[in-house]
Amino acid sequence: MDSKLLSALWIITCATQVLAAHTRLETVGRTYPIVEQDITKELQQQATAIDLDALFYSHNGYQPANLHTLPRASSDRMFTVDLTHTLDHDIKDNQGNLLYPQGFTFNPLQYVGLSGGMVVIDGSDAAQVEWFRGSPYFQNHRAILLLSGGYAAEVKQGLKRPAYYLTHDVAARLQLKAAPSVVIEQDNELTVREVRLAAKP
């Protein structure tokens, strides 16, 4: 390396260290003593006040207010659902520019796919849970499991996979009438198949 360049680097390094050693950060402005409790102690106090049994009971026994219950399918039935939607108002961005005008028609399946499908069961019906466990959808973890009854925490623990609740708006949009139901995307439409299980003993 060039000796002049090496000397320049050495001088810059030494100067930087000297400046750093002699730089002091002074107190600027008026200061006040800290009167708030230490955040760690506060969190510890709040943690000891939590009733874990009540918390677990609340979690395990949770169902949404808009849970949509479905009767057991009385027959095998199949139908299609067209999700095409027409806007009844303009959609604008935060600056007032028009993004989509009233009357714009679109099919959400052209933008977002449902590759794994959806399965709807009543989680409180052991036969429906076992039917799902034995179905090919159980091994397909892209399939979304929706519950029209029962408790998601219990079903998730039993099946070792995520489970969500079927709500009124989803059931209405998919025209669901019975469970178990399987919802599959086909040619920009949804095919819904209701599955009749053997009668309860």
Side-chain angles (χ1 to χ4, degrees), residues 61-81:
Y62 169 78
Q63 283 182 332
N66 62 342
L67 173 66
H68 190 87
T69 59
L70 294 172
R72 200 192 247 210
S74 58
S75 62
D76 292 326
R77 186 170 77 104
M78 187 177 293
F79 58 93
T80 59
V81 178

Side-chain angles (χ1 to χ4, degrees), residues 4-15:
K4 291 182 179 178
L5 178 59
L6 188 60
S7 299
L9 288 174
W10 183 79
I11 292 171
I12 291 172
T13 302
C14 290

Side-chain angles (χ1 to χ4, degrees), residues 17 25 41 104 143-144 146 151 161 167 169:
Q17 291 176 349
L25 298 177
K41 292 180 181 177
F104 176 75
I144 301 169
L146 298 179
Y151 297 101
R161 61 169 294 148
T167 56
D169 53 344

